[in-house]
Amino acid sequence: MATPDEDKPQIGMHFNSESEAYEFYNSYGGRLGFSVRREYENKSKKDKTTITLRRFAYNKQSIRKKNNRDIHSNCSRAETRTDCPARMGIILMENGKYQCHDFVEGHNHELHIPSTTHMMRSQRNVSKIYGHGIDLADDSGIRPKATFGYMGRQAGGRQNLDFTPKDHHNYLRSKRQRDLGYGEATSLLQYFTEQSRLDPSFSYAVQLDMDEFITNIFGADARMIIDYVLFGDVVTFDTMFCTNKKNRPFEIFSGFNHHKGLIVFVAALLYDETV
């Protein structure tokens, strides 16, 4: 592992993981004034997941491919690639650690000045403090544009924030993906997906709000659908049940069969009890 006094990559330097090597080179790039990206990798042929070789490079390395659009186009993009040779390569050793086996220090472009390095792509970061503020604002229903503007005024200007509106948007998207990744909603949708696989007649519907959050969920299996076709002349809507501490109403659309027995046509998990 790199020691604190080694502030520049050196061939033979060891790292405990690929991510540790990236953080070290990215930190080095931040001090010098250039942004870093993962350029390419080789993976183990045995498990297809273990990275055996990795190269980190300047994020504008390489040359743009030939543009095949109309040569008279007025919307051509500015050239940003510089084919900068600066890079650091690591290789997996037998002990499971990584060793720096390739390092090129020189650059063929101007580096960022210290006052602008925090806005480089690999240096931008939504810190825990700002992340907490974004979470609170989002939970309170404040729009991202207003939140970002408010945080910019607190910091003395948007240019003093360590992230951009795009980073703000990506943070919220990742947060919502995490919220959906583990919880009741995902478990229920996975159940519906499995039921649809086992029973092609199984049907369900999900309603979203304007922020694409799940609000109302409806589901009916093959038996329910057949019962509705046969006995759906009269349907009652039962709103007596709540499922958990959040008081999400669990409703059923029900009726009676020819034996006067209660049958369920559709089950629904609703956001509230409004019409």
Side-chain angles (χ1 to χ4, degrees):
M1 183 179 69
T3 57
D5 60 326
E6 294 174 323
D7 58 357
K8 184 174 73 172
Q10 298 177 14
I11 293 179
M13 183 178 291
H14 292 176
F15 302 93
N16 290 323
S17 64
E18 183 270 350
S19 58
E20 182 182 280
Y22 171 79
E23 292 299 331
F24 176 81
Y25 191 59
N26 189 44
S27 177
Y28 166 74
R31 293 193 299 272
L32 263 67
F34 68 95
S35 190
V36 173
R37 65 178 170 87
R38 291 174 167 93
E39 186 180 9
Y40 75 82
E41 66 181 19
N42 286 340
K43 291 187 176 180
S44 171
K45 295 181 180 179
K46 294 181 179 180
D47 56 20
K48 305 297 182 181
T49 58
T50 302
I51 297 175
T52 59
L53 188 69
R54 168 73 83 180
R55 174 183 287 180
F56 309 107
Y58 174 55
N59 75 321
K60 294 180 181 179
Q61 182 268 346
S62 77
I63 300 176
R64 182 195 296 174
K65 295 181 179 180
K66 182 180 179 180
N67 191 344
N68 294 322
R69 296 182 302 174
D70 185 357
I71 61 174
H72 301 293
S73 174
N74 294 324
C75 300
S76 58
R77 295 177 298 167
E79 179 60 67
T80 58
R81 300 290 181 178
T82 66
D83 199 24
C84 177
R87 63 181 184 268
M88 183 183 84
I90 58 174
I91 189 170
L92 181 66
M93 300 187 299
E94 293 183 356
N95 61 3
K97 294 186 177 182
Y98 290 88
Q99 182 182 58
C100 175
H101 73 101
D102 179 33
F103 173 59
V104 176
E105 184 176 2
H107 294 265
N108 62 1
H109 56 90
E110 294 185 0
L111 301 176
H112 283 258
I113 59 177
S115 60
T116 63
T117 54
H118 68 287
M119 294 306 295
M120 294 186 300
R121 180 176 297 241
S122 66
Q123 306 299 327
R124 297 200 307 260
N125 178 49
V126 179
S127 65
K128 291 184 178 180
I129 294 177
Y130 283 122
H132 181 64
I134 293 173
D135 291 340
L136 288 177
D138 184 56
D139 293 340
S140 300
I142 302 175
R143 293 184 176 275
K145 183 177 181 180
T147 303
F148 186 79
Y150 175 71
M151 288 183 170
R153 288 191 293 272
Q154 281 189 319
R158 296 185 177 189
Q159 69 278 5
N160 294 325
L161 294 174
D162 292 338
F163 57 95
T164 65
K166 181 64 175 178
D167 299 323
H168 187 155
H169 172 77
N170 290 339
Y171 177 87
L172 284 175
R173 184 176 61 182
S174 299
K175 171 180 178 291
R176 290 168 182 172
Q177 289 174 343
R178 290 194 300 270
D179 292 343
L180 187 62
Y182 303 94
E184 297 173 350
T186 298
S187 299
L188 187 58
L189 291 177
Q190 288 178 344
Y191 171 77
F192 284 161
T193 301
E194 179 65 15
Q195 291 303 307
S196 298
R197 186 183 66 83
L198 298 175
D199 179 7
S201 298
F202 183 85
S203 177
Y204 69 94
V206 177
Q207 291 182 335
L208 307 179
D209 62 11
M210 62 182 298
D211 294 320
E212 297 186 354
F213 289 150
I214 295 176
T215 55
N216 303 320
I217 303 173
F218 304 86
D221 59 22
R223 183 72 263 173
M224 294 178 179
I225 297 173
I226 294 173
D227 286 342
Y228 177 75
V229 173
L230 297 175
F231 309 108
D233 298 325
V234 178
V235 178
T236 61
F237 183 49
D238 193 339
T239 61
M240 296 177 59
F241 305 101
C242 288
T243 60
N244 52 29
K245 64 181 180 181
K246 296 182 181 180
N247 291 323
R248 293 293 296 271
F250 178 75
E251 325 291 6
I252 58 173
F253 293 82
S254 59
F256 294 93
N257 59 21
H258 55 297
H259 296 297
K260 297 183 180 181
L262 179 67
I263 52 176
V264 177
F265 300 135
V266 175
L269 184 65
L270 305 183
Y271 182 76
D272 54 31
E273 296 185 10
T274 59
V275 175

